[in-house]
Amino acid sequence: LLQNLSKRHLLRSTFASRSASTLVLAEHEGGSIKAQSLSAVVAANSLSQDNPVSLLLAGSGSSLHQAAEKAATCHPSISQVLVADSEKFAYPLAEPWAKLIQLVQLKGDYSHVIATSDSFGKNILPRAAALLDVSPVTDVVDINGPHQFIRPIYAGNALCTVQYTGANPCMLTVRSTSFPVPHISVDSKSGAASISEVDLSTLDEGPFTWILGLQLESIPCLEAIILTLIADSVGKSRFMKLSSQDTGRPDLGSAKIVVTGGRALKSAENFKMIEKLAEKLGAAVGATRAAVDAGFVPNELQVGQTGKIVAPELYMAFGVSGAIQHLAGMKDSKIIVAVNKDSDAPIFQVADYGLVGDLFEVIPELLEKLPEK
Ligand code: FAD
Protein backbone atom coordinates (compact mmCIF):
# COMPACT_ATOMS: atom_id res chain seq x y z
CA LEU A 1 0.00 0.00 0.00
CA LEU A 2 2.75 2.38 0.98
CA GLN A 3 4.74 1.63 -2.14
CA ASN A 4 1.65 2.25 -4.25
CA LEU A 5 0.79 5.34 -2.30
CA SER A 6 4.15 6.05 -3.78
CA LYS A 7 6.72 8.71 -3.34
CA ARG A 8 5.88 9.80 -6.88
CA HIS A 9 2.56 11.48 -6.10
CA LEU A 10 3.83 12.99 -2.90
CA LEU A 11 7.09 14.16 -4.46
CA ARG A 12 5.44 15.65 -7.53
CA SER A 13 3.11 17.73 -5.42
CA THR A 14 6.12 19.31 -3.75
CA PHE A 15 7.70 20.42 -7.04
CA ALA A 16 6.63 23.94 -7.69
CA SER A 17 7.89 24.90 -11.13
CA ARG A 18 10.64 27.50 -11.24
CA SER A 19 13.43 28.57 -13.53
CA ALA A 20 16.35 26.30 -14.41
CA SER A 21 18.85 25.47 -11.73
CA THR A 22 21.20 22.55 -11.89
CA LEU A 23 22.76 20.22 -9.37
CA VAL A 24 26.05 18.76 -10.61
CA LEU A 25 27.40 15.67 -8.87
CA ALA A 26 31.17 15.94 -8.57
CA GLU A 27 33.94 13.54 -7.66
CA HIS A 28 37.07 14.66 -5.88
CA GLU A 29 40.49 13.17 -5.29
CA GLY A 30 43.53 14.43 -3.40
CA GLY A 31 41.82 17.71 -2.47
CA SER A 32 40.71 18.68 -6.00
CA ILE A 33 37.63 17.96 -8.04
CA LYS A 34 38.21 15.57 -10.91
CA ALA A 35 38.52 17.13 -14.37
CA GLN A 36 35.72 14.90 -15.71
CA SER A 37 33.29 16.39 -13.19
CA LEU A 38 33.85 19.82 -14.71
CA SER A 39 32.47 18.48 -18.01
CA ALA A 40 29.12 18.14 -16.26
CA VAL A 41 29.39 21.84 -15.31
CA VAL A 42 30.09 22.68 -18.99
CA ALA A 43 27.01 20.62 -19.95
CA ALA A 44 24.93 22.46 -17.32
CA ASN A 45 25.95 25.72 -19.01
CA SER A 46 24.56 24.49 -22.32
CA LEU A 47 21.09 24.01 -20.80
CA SER A 48 20.40 27.71 -20.59
CA GLN A 49 22.37 30.91 -20.09
CA ASP A 50 21.07 31.88 -16.65
CA ASN A 51 21.37 28.53 -14.97
CA PRO A 52 22.91 28.69 -11.51
CA VAL A 53 24.93 25.55 -10.87
CA SER A 54 25.24 23.96 -7.46
CA LEU A 55 28.07 21.48 -7.16
CA LEU A 56 27.54 18.60 -4.75
CA LEU A 57 30.67 17.14 -3.16
CA ALA A 58 30.56 14.35 -0.61
CA GLY A 59 33.24 12.63 1.39
CA SER A 60 34.89 12.96 4.74
CA GLY A 61 37.88 14.74 6.18
CA SER A 62 40.10 17.62 5.18
CA SER A 63 40.57 16.66 1.51
CA LEU A 64 36.81 17.14 0.98
CA HIS A 65 36.98 20.69 2.31
CA GLN A 66 40.12 21.46 0.28
CA ALA A 67 38.31 20.23 -2.83
CA ALA A 68 35.31 22.43 -1.96
CA GLU A 69 37.55 25.52 -1.63
CA LYS A 70 39.09 24.84 -5.04
CA ALA A 71 35.73 24.00 -6.62
CA ALA A 72 34.32 27.35 -5.45
CA THR A 73 36.70 29.20 -7.78
CA CYS A 74 37.14 26.75 -10.63
CA HIS A 75 34.27 27.75 -12.94
CA PRO A 76 32.31 31.03 -13.14
CA SER A 77 28.93 29.32 -13.47
CA ILE A 78 29.20 27.51 -10.12
CA SER A 79 27.12 29.59 -7.73
CA GLN A 80 27.35 27.33 -4.71
CA VAL A 81 29.25 24.29 -3.52
CA LEU A 82 27.30 21.92 -1.30
CA VAL A 83 29.45 19.80 0.97
CA ALA A 84 28.21 16.56 2.58
CA ASP A 85 30.75 15.52 5.19
CA SER A 86 30.15 12.07 6.64
CA GLU A 87 31.93 8.73 6.97
CA LYS A 88 29.07 7.35 4.88
CA PHE A 89 30.55 9.13 1.87
CA ALA A 90 34.16 8.12 2.45
CA TYR A 91 33.75 5.90 -0.64
CA PRO A 92 31.41 6.52 -3.57
CA LEU A 93 28.84 3.84 -2.80
CA ALA A 94 25.60 4.20 -4.72
CA GLU A 95 23.10 3.72 -1.87
CA PRO A 96 24.17 6.55 0.48
CA TRP A 97 24.94 8.86 -2.47
CA ALA A 98 21.49 8.24 -3.96
CA LYS A 99 19.84 9.09 -0.65
CA LEU A 100 21.98 12.22 -0.42
CA ILE A 101 20.86 13.35 -3.88
CA GLN A 102 17.25 12.72 -2.91
CA LEU A 103 17.71 14.81 0.23
CA VAL A 104 19.45 17.67 -1.60
CA GLN A 105 16.87 17.60 -4.41
CA LEU A 106 13.95 17.77 -2.01
CA LYS A 107 15.49 20.80 -0.36
CA GLY A 108 16.84 22.54 -3.49
CA ASP A 109 14.11 21.71 -6.04
CA TYR A 110 16.58 21.64 -8.96
CA SER A 111 15.30 21.46 -12.52
CA HIS A 112 18.27 19.32 -13.62
CA VAL A 113 20.70 16.90 -11.97
CA ILE A 114 23.83 16.07 -14.01
CA ALA A 115 26.75 13.68 -13.59
CA THR A 116 29.43 12.54 -16.01
CA SER A 117 28.94 9.24 -17.75
CA ASP A 118 31.73 7.38 -15.98
CA SER A 119 31.68 4.60 -13.41
CA PHE A 120 30.76 7.15 -10.69
CA GLY A 121 27.82 8.73 -12.53
CA LYS A 122 26.60 5.50 -14.09
CA ASN A 123 26.55 3.84 -10.68
CA ILE A 124 24.91 6.60 -8.68
CA LEU A 125 22.57 8.58 -10.90
CA PRO A 126 20.13 5.80 -11.94
CA ARG A 127 19.62 4.80 -8.30
CA ALA A 128 18.92 8.41 -7.33
CA ALA A 129 16.55 8.70 -10.32
CA ALA A 130 14.67 5.65 -9.06
CA LEU A 131 14.32 7.21 -5.60
CA LEU A 132 13.00 10.41 -7.20
CA ASP A 133 10.86 8.38 -9.61
CA VAL A 134 12.10 9.94 -12.83
CA SER A 135 13.72 8.39 -15.91
CA PRO A 136 17.32 9.47 -16.44
CA VAL A 137 18.66 10.31 -19.90
CA THR A 138 22.10 8.72 -20.19
CA ASP A 139 25.24 9.20 -22.28
CA VAL A 140 24.20 12.62 -23.56
CA VAL A 141 26.61 13.95 -26.23
CA ASP A 142 24.84 17.19 -27.12
CA ILE A 143 22.19 19.49 -25.69
CA ASN A 144 19.62 21.22 -27.93
CA GLY A 145 17.68 22.86 -25.11
CA PRO A 146 16.70 22.37 -21.48
CA HIS A 147 14.72 19.22 -22.33
CA GLN A 148 16.11 18.03 -25.65
CA PHE A 149 19.23 15.92 -25.80
CA ILE A 150 21.28 13.89 -28.29
CA ARG A 151 22.58 10.47 -27.28
CA PRO A 152 24.18 7.63 -29.24
CA ILE A 153 22.36 4.35 -29.88
CA TYR A 154 23.37 1.07 -31.59
CA ALA A 155 26.93 1.24 -30.19
CA GLY A 156 27.33 4.79 -31.45
CA ASN A 157 26.24 4.03 -35.03
CA ALA A 158 23.23 6.35 -34.82
CA LEU A 159 22.36 9.43 -32.83
CA CYS A 160 18.97 9.75 -31.23
CA THR A 161 17.20 12.99 -30.22
CA VAL A 162 15.42 12.59 -26.90
CA GLN A 163 12.72 14.97 -25.71
CA TYR A 164 12.39 14.75 -21.93
CA THR A 165 8.75 15.06 -20.90
CA GLY A 166 8.98 13.80 -17.33
CA ALA A 167 8.78 15.61 -14.03
CA ASN A 168 11.59 17.57 -12.38
CA PRO A 169 14.39 16.91 -11.93
CA CYS A 170 15.55 16.03 -15.41
CA MET A 171 18.51 13.75 -14.65
CA LEU A 172 21.36 13.33 -17.14
CA THR A 173 24.67 11.58 -17.49
CA VAL A 174 26.90 13.33 -20.04
CA ARG A 175 29.96 12.08 -21.90
CA SER A 176 32.96 14.10 -20.77
CA THR A 177 34.54 13.78 -24.24
CA SER A 178 31.60 15.74 -25.70
CA PHE A 179 31.78 18.59 -23.18
CA PRO A 180 35.48 19.49 -23.03
CA VAL A 181 36.49 21.89 -20.30
CA PRO A 182 38.09 25.05 -21.72
CA HIS A 183 40.88 26.65 -19.74
CA ILE A 184 39.09 29.18 -17.57
CA SER A 185 40.63 31.69 -15.28
CA VAL A 186 38.36 32.74 -12.45
CA ASP A 187 39.14 35.69 -10.27
CA SER A 188 39.10 34.06 -6.85
CA LYS A 189 37.96 37.28 -5.16
CA SER A 190 35.02 38.15 -7.39
CA GLY A 191 34.23 34.70 -8.79
CA ALA A 192 34.13 32.51 -5.71
CA ALA A 193 30.96 30.51 -5.14
CA SER A 194 29.48 30.13 -1.67
CA ILE A 195 30.22 26.94 0.23
CA SER A 196 27.51 25.40 2.43
CA GLU A 197 27.33 22.22 4.45
CA VAL A 198 24.43 19.89 3.66
CA ASP A 199 22.33 19.23 6.76
CA LEU A 200 22.54 15.45 6.98
CA SER A 201 20.42 15.12 10.11
CA THR A 202 17.48 13.78 8.08
CA LEU A 203 19.55 11.56 5.77
CA ASP A 204 18.46 8.36 7.45
CA GLU A 205 14.82 9.30 7.54
CA GLY A 206 12.49 8.07 4.84
CA PRO A 207 11.06 10.35 2.17
CA PHE A 208 7.63 10.19 3.82
CA THR A 209 9.01 11.89 6.88
CA TRP A 210 10.43 14.78 4.91
CA ILE A 211 7.47 15.30 2.68
CA LEU A 212 4.59 15.02 5.02
CA GLY A 213 6.46 16.19 8.09
CA LEU A 214 4.72 13.39 9.93
CA GLN A 215 5.65 12.64 13.47
CA LEU A 216 5.80 8.95 12.73
CA GLU A 217 6.53 8.12 16.34
CA SER A 218 2.87 8.88 16.94
CA ILE A 219 1.82 6.09 14.57
CA PRO A 220 4.10 3.21 15.62
CA CYS A 221 2.78 0.58 13.22
CA LEU A 222 3.11 2.89 10.18
CA GLU A 223 6.62 3.80 11.27
CA ALA A 224 7.56 0.12 11.53
CA ILE A 225 6.34 -0.59 7.99
CA ILE A 226 8.15 2.43 6.55
CA LEU A 227 11.40 1.65 8.32
CA THR A 228 11.26 -1.91 6.97
CA LEU A 229 10.82 -0.60 3.43
CA ILE A 230 13.71 1.82 3.82
CA ALA A 231 15.99 -0.68 5.54
CA ASP A 232 15.49 -2.96 2.56
CA SER A 233 17.30 -0.59 0.25
CA VAL A 234 20.38 0.31 2.27
CA GLY A 235 23.59 -1.48 3.15
CA LYS A 236 23.44 -3.85 0.20
CA SER A 237 26.90 -2.93 -0.93
CA ARG A 238 30.01 -2.25 1.05
CA PHE A 239 33.41 -0.90 0.15
CA MET A 240 36.05 -3.64 0.00
CA LYS A 241 39.26 -2.07 -1.33
CA LEU A 242 40.66 0.33 -3.86
CA SER A 243 43.37 -1.07 -6.08
CA SER A 244 45.04 1.12 -8.63
CA GLN A 245 48.35 0.95 -10.40
CA ASP A 246 50.43 4.07 -10.26
CA THR A 247 52.01 3.86 -13.70
CA GLY A 248 52.92 7.53 -13.87
CA ARG A 249 51.08 7.71 -17.21
CA PRO A 250 48.15 10.05 -17.87
CA ASP A 251 44.61 8.91 -17.15
CA LEU A 252 43.10 7.06 -20.12
CA GLY A 253 39.84 9.04 -19.98
CA SER A 254 41.49 12.46 -20.27
CA ALA A 255 44.87 11.81 -21.99
CA LYS A 256 45.80 13.85 -25.06
CA ILE A 257 47.49 10.86 -26.70
CA VAL A 258 46.36 7.22 -26.42
CA VAL A 259 48.36 4.26 -27.74
CA THR A 260 46.24 1.13 -28.05
CA GLY A 261 47.20 -2.47 -28.70
CA GLY A 262 45.01 -5.31 -29.91
CA ARG A 263 44.99 -9.09 -29.98
CA ALA A 264 47.81 -9.04 -32.54
CA LEU A 265 50.29 -8.28 -29.74
CA LYS A 266 49.91 -11.97 -28.82
CA SER A 267 51.14 -11.77 -25.19
CA ALA A 268 51.47 -9.59 -22.10
CA GLU A 269 55.23 -9.58 -22.67
CA ASN A 270 54.84 -8.20 -26.21
CA PHE A 271 52.28 -5.65 -24.97
CA LYS A 272 55.14 -3.95 -23.10
CA MET A 273 56.16 -2.50 -26.50
CA ILE A 274 52.90 -0.51 -26.44
CA GLU A 275 53.68 0.67 -22.90
CA LYS A 276 57.21 1.77 -23.91
CA LEU A 277 55.84 3.68 -26.88
CA ALA A 278 53.24 5.33 -24.63
CA GLU A 279 55.97 6.36 -22.20
CA LYS A 280 58.01 7.98 -24.98
CA LEU A 281 54.96 9.89 -26.20
CA GLY A 282 53.66 10.84 -22.74
CA ALA A 283 50.51 8.89 -23.67
CA ALA A 284 47.96 6.68 -21.93
CA VAL A 285 47.73 2.99 -22.84
CA GLY A 286 44.51 1.51 -24.21
CA ALA A 287 43.56 -1.98 -25.29
CA THR A 288 40.87 -3.80 -27.21
CA ARG A 289 38.56 -6.20 -25.44
CA ALA A 290 40.30 -9.10 -27.21
CA ALA A 291 43.62 -8.00 -25.66
CA VAL A 292 41.99 -7.64 -22.25
CA ASP A 293 40.21 -10.99 -22.48
CA ALA A 294 43.48 -12.64 -23.46
CA GLY A 295 44.97 -11.30 -20.20
CA PHE A 296 47.59 -9.01 -21.76
CA VAL A 297 46.44 -6.02 -19.68
CA PRO A 298 43.84 -5.28 -16.96
CA ASN A 299 40.31 -4.44 -18.08
CA GLU A 300 40.52 -0.83 -16.85
CA LEU A 301 42.48 -0.20 -20.09
CA GLN A 302 39.69 -1.39 -22.38
CA VAL A 303 38.48 1.17 -24.89
CA GLY A 304 35.08 0.76 -26.49
CA GLN A 305 31.39 0.26 -26.02
CA THR A 306 31.88 -1.75 -22.83
CA GLY A 307 35.11 0.00 -21.87
CA LYS A 308 36.16 3.63 -21.70
CA ILE A 309 35.09 6.29 -24.17
CA VAL A 310 38.05 8.41 -25.23
CA ALA A 311 38.51 11.34 -27.63
CA PRO A 312 42.20 12.32 -27.45
CA GLU A 313 44.08 14.62 -29.84
CA LEU A 314 45.93 11.55 -31.17
CA TYR A 315 44.80 7.90 -31.06
CA MET A 316 47.30 5.27 -32.27
CA ALA A 317 45.96 1.75 -32.85
CA PHE A 318 48.35 -1.18 -33.36
CA GLY A 319 46.98 -4.54 -34.45
CA VAL A 320 43.38 -3.44 -33.89
CA SER A 321 40.82 -4.65 -36.44
CA GLY A 322 38.31 -1.84 -35.81
CA ALA A 323 35.22 -3.75 -34.66
CA ILE A 324 32.20 -1.45 -34.17
CA GLN A 325 32.31 -2.03 -30.41
CA HIS A 326 35.88 -0.71 -30.35
CA LEU A 327 35.13 2.22 -32.69
CA ALA A 328 32.27 3.25 -30.37
CA GLY A 329 34.90 4.17 -27.79
CA MET A 330 37.44 6.06 -29.92
CA LYS A 331 36.04 7.26 -33.23
CA ASP A 332 35.67 10.84 -31.97
CA SER A 333 39.45 11.12 -31.51
CA LYS A 334 40.86 14.13 -33.39
CA ILE A 335 43.56 12.22 -35.32
CA ILE A 336 43.51 8.44 -35.68
CA VAL A 337 46.60 6.51 -36.75
CA ALA A 338 46.27 2.79 -37.49
CA VAL A 339 48.90 0.14 -38.13
CA ASN A 340 47.56 -3.19 -39.35
CA LYS A 341 48.96 -5.82 -41.64
CA ASP A 342 45.55 -6.35 -43.31
CA SER A 343 44.81 -3.53 -45.76
CA ASP A 344 41.08 -4.36 -45.56
CA ALA A 345 40.88 -3.96 -41.76
CA PRO A 346 37.85 -1.76 -40.89
CA ILE A 347 40.02 0.48 -38.66
CA PHE A 348 41.36 2.06 -41.87
CA GLN A 349 37.88 3.42 -42.62
CA VAL A 350 38.09 5.76 -39.63
CA ALA A 351 41.87 6.34 -39.68
CA ASP A 352 43.36 9.67 -40.76
CA TYR A 353 46.73 7.99 -41.30
CA GLY A 354 47.00 4.26 -42.02
CA LEU A 355 50.07 2.08 -42.39
CA VAL A 356 49.77 -1.44 -43.76
CA GLY A 357 52.57 -3.19 -41.94
CA ASP A 358 53.67 -5.57 -39.23
CA LEU A 359 53.51 -3.96 -35.79
CA PHE A 360 56.49 -6.07 -34.67
CA GLU A 361 58.59 -4.14 -37.18
CA VAL A 362 56.87 -0.75 -36.96
CA ILE A 363 56.88 -0.30 -33.16
CA PRO A 364 60.61 -1.10 -32.65
CA GLU A 365 61.41 1.34 -35.46
CA LEU A 366 59.26 4.04 -33.84
CA LEU A 367 60.90 3.38 -30.46
CA GLU A 368 64.31 3.75 -32.03
CA LYS A 369 63.52 6.94 -33.94
CA LEU A 370 61.51 8.80 -31.31
CA PRO A 371 63.66 10.95 -29.03
CA GLU A 372 63.88 10.07 -25.32
CA LYS A 373 61.29 11.96 -23.28
P1 FAD B 1 40.93 -8.80 -33.80
O1 FAD B 1 39.58 -8.45 -34.28
O2 FAD B 1 41.31 -10.24 -33.77
O3 FAD B 1 41.94 -8.00 -34.74
C1 FAD B 1 43.32 -8.15 -34.70
C2 FAD B 1 43.87 -7.31 -35.86
O4 FAD B 1 45.28 -7.32 -35.80
C3 FAD B 1 43.48 -7.83 -37.23
O5 FAD B 1 42.88 -6.77 -37.97
C4 FAD B 1 44.78 -8.28 -37.87
O6 FAD B 1 44.85 -8.00 -39.27
C5 FAD B 1 45.77 -7.42 -37.13
N1 FAD B 1 47.11 -8.03 -37.02
C6 FAD B 1 47.43 -9.32 -36.74
N2 FAD B 1 48.77 -9.45 -36.64
C7 FAD B 1 49.30 -8.22 -36.89
C8 FAD B 1 50.63 -7.73 -36.95
N3 FAD B 1 51.68 -8.51 -36.70
N4 FAD B 1 50.81 -6.42 -37.23
C9 FAD B 1 49.76 -5.60 -37.49
N5 FAD B 1 48.48 -6.04 -37.45
C10 FAD B 1 48.26 -7.31 -37.15
N6 FAD B 1 35.92 -4.67 -28.22
C11 FAD B 1 36.60 -3.60 -27.76
O7 FAD B 1 37.74 -3.35 -28.18
N7 FAD B 1 36.03 -2.77 -26.82
C12 FAD B 1 34.79 -2.97 -26.32
O8 FAD B 1 34.34 -2.19 -25.47
C13 FAD B 1 34.04 -4.09 -26.79
N8 FAD B 1 32.79 -4.32 -26.34
C14 FAD B 1 32.09 -5.37 -26.87
C15 FAD B 1 30.77 -5.55 -26.47
C16 FAD B 1 30.04 -6.59 -27.02
C17 FAD B 1 28.61 -6.77 -26.58
C18 FAD B 1 30.64 -7.46 -27.96
C19 FAD B 1 29.84 -8.59 -28.56
C20 FAD B 1 31.94 -7.29 -28.35
C21 FAD B 1 32.70 -6.25 -27.81
N9 FAD B 1 34.01 -6.04 -28.19
C22 FAD B 1 34.67 -4.95 -27.74
C23 FAD B 1 34.75 -7.02 -29.01
C24 FAD B 1 34.86 -6.63 -30.48
O9 FAD B 1 33.72 -7.11 -31.16
C25 FAD B 1 36.12 -7.26 -31.11
O10 FAD B 1 36.09 -8.65 -30.92
C26 FAD B 1 37.44 -6.73 -30.56
O11 FAD B 1 37.43 -5.32 -30.56
C27 FAD B 1 38.58 -7.22 -31.44
O12 FAD B 1 39.79 -6.87 -30.87
P2 FAD B 1 41.11 -6.79 -31.75
O13 FAD B 1 40.93 -5.75 -32.81
O14 FAD B 1 42.25 -6.67 -30.82
O15 FAD B 1 41.21 -8.26 -32.37
Side-chain angles (χ1 to χ4, degrees), residues 148-197:
Q148 200 180 83
F149 312 105
I150 312 284
R151 66 185 297 273
I153 52 171
Y154 305 126
N157 285 307
L159 292 172
C160 168
T161 302
V162 178
Q163 181 73 35
Y164 180 77
T165 54
N168 278 356
C170 171
M171 299 183 85
L172 312 172
T173 62
V174 296
R175 286 206 179 161
S176 55
T177 49
S178 303
F179 297 94
V181 182
H183 180 72
I184 300 160
S185 105
V186 183
D187 177 353
S188 57
K189 286 185 199 106
S190 62
S194 63
I195 300 178
S196 348
E197 294 267 345

Side-chain angles (χ1 to χ4, degrees), residues 261-266 287-291 302-308 318-327 339-342 345-347 357-360:
R263 195 198 314 261
L265 267 300
K266 293 193 182 140
T288 63
R289 177 156 148 184
Q302 184 178 319
V303 172
Q305 184 190 340
T306 44
K308 293 202 170 129
F318 293 89
V320 172
S321 59
I324 51 164
Q325 295 89 352
H326 186 77
L327 300 186
V339 177
N340 195 305
K341 68 180 186 186
D342 174 6
I347 190 81
D358 186 336
L359 66 87
F360 291 103

Side-chain angles (χ1 to χ4, degrees), residues 9 28 47 69 91 95-96 103 105 114 120 152 170 230 283 312 338:
H9 304 298
H28 62 98
L47 289 168
E69 293 286 339
Y91 306 105
E95 287 100 334
L103 173 72
Q105 171 61 24
I114 307 187
F120 170 77
C170 171
I230 293 161

